[in-house]
């Protein structure tokens, strides 16, 4: 069963990496975080900068806070989209007759999304670590990098993927699912 889940996850990760929606949102949020770190934390423009930068781990917290909000939006669109896309193309008839169970299929899709978003989370962690190291005002701490990844980002991703899958299966309407999840 793990073989099927990993194969489905690998294919889902490839599909997500090829998606223009995912690429645009990933580049957009990483750009916003980079600009936030440059102007608010490192105060490149010459202003006073963000006052929250002095606490250890606050830069990491703010980066993961902003990223998690956007991650939830992206994940809700992408998770509801794959079920809606398959129903629209009538490929669910084949899906339901495969030797792979529905649970394995959904777990594989979730695993693929987790792999892709974990890669972006690692980039956010690296951005936070580099910004903290470059800032003369901020003490560097390693534990917030792992803490915010495992406490805020990953649970939010699990919740939104599961909630989107559940609503899509129950409502069978992609537009209503988008509205409810984003609400």
């Amino acid at each position: 069963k793990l073989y099927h889940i990993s194969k489905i996850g690998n294919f889902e990760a490839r599909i997500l990496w090829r998606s223009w929606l995912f690429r645009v949102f990933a580049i957009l949020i990483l750009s916003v975080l980079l600009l936030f770190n440059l102007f608010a934390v490192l105060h490149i423009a010459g202003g006073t900068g963000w006052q929250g930068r002095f606490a250890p781990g606050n830069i990491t917290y703010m980066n993961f806070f902003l990223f998690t909000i956007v991650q939830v939006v992206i994940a809700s669109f992408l998770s509801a989209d794959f079920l809606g896309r398959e129903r629209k193309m009538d490929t669910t008839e084949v899906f339901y007759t495969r030797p792979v169970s529905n649970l394995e299929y959904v777990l594989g899709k979730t695993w693929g999304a987790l792999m892709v978003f974990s890669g972006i989370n690692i980039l956010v962690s690296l951005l936070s670590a580099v910004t903290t190291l470059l800032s003369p005002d901020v003490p560097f701490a390693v534990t917030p990098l792992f803490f915010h990844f495992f406490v805020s980002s990953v649970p939010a991703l699990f919740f939104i993927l599961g909630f989107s899958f559940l609503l899509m299966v129950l409502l069978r309407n992609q537009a209503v699912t988008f509205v409810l999840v984003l609400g």
Side-chain angles (χ1 to χ4, degrees):
K1 293 191 180 236
L2 289 177
Y3 175 78
H4 294 294
I5 293 171
S6 68
K7 286 299 178 189
I8 293 168
N10 287 336
F11 285 119
E12 179 65 17
R14 288 180 188 165
I15 289 170
L16 285 177
W17 276 116
R18 292 175 185 164
S19 167
W20 281 102
L21 176 71
F22 178 78
R23 288 180 188 178
V24 167
F25 274 131
I27 290 170
L28 182 68
I29 188 57
L30 289 174
S31 300
V32 166
L33 289 177
L34 181 65
L35 290 174
F36 170 75
N37 288 337
L38 287 176
F39 292 111
V41 177
L42 298 176
H43 45 80
I44 297 237
T48 59
W50 178 52
Q51 297 303 316
R53 71 182 183 275
F54 297 114
N58 241 8
I59 294 171
T60 306
Y61 166 74
M62 197 61 185
N63 282 335
F64 271 104
F65 176 76
L66 294 173
F67 175 71
T68 301
I69 292 171
V70 175
Q71 173 182 267
V72 164
V73 172
I74 297 168
S76 65
F77 277 113
L78 293 175
S79 63
D81 181 53
F82 92 83
L83 284 176
R85 183 178 56 231
E86 289 177 3
R87 287 177 195 258
K88 188 176 184 181
M89 295 187 313
D90 290 331
T91 58
T92 54
E93 306 305 323
V94 176
F95 157 65
Y96 289 124
T97 59
R98 287 189 190 162
V100 177
S101 71
N102 293 343
L103 178 65
E104 290 173 340
Y105 186 71
V106 171
L107 286 176
K109 291 285 193 176
T110 305
W111 175 244
L114 283 173
M115 285 191 295
V116 171
F117 282 106
S118 293
I120 303 292
N121 275 311
I122 290 170
L123 290 176
V124 170
S125 294
L126 289 174
L127 181 66
S128 299
V130 168
T131 304
T132 304
L133 288 172
L134 290 176
S135 177
D137 305 328
V138 182
F140 182 74
V142 175
T143 54
L145 296 172
F146 296 107
F147 179 77
H148 293 296
F149 174 74
F150 288 112
V151 171
S152 66
S153 189
V154 172
L157 187 60
F158 271 120
F159 173 76
I160 204 65
L161 288 174
F163 190 57
S164 299
F165 291 158
L166 177 70
L167 284 179
M168 192 64 191
V169 168
L170 291 177
L171 299 176
R172 299 181 187 267
N173 189 336
Q174 190 173 358
V176 174
T177 301
F178 285 151
V179 170
L180 288 176
V181 168
L182 290 178

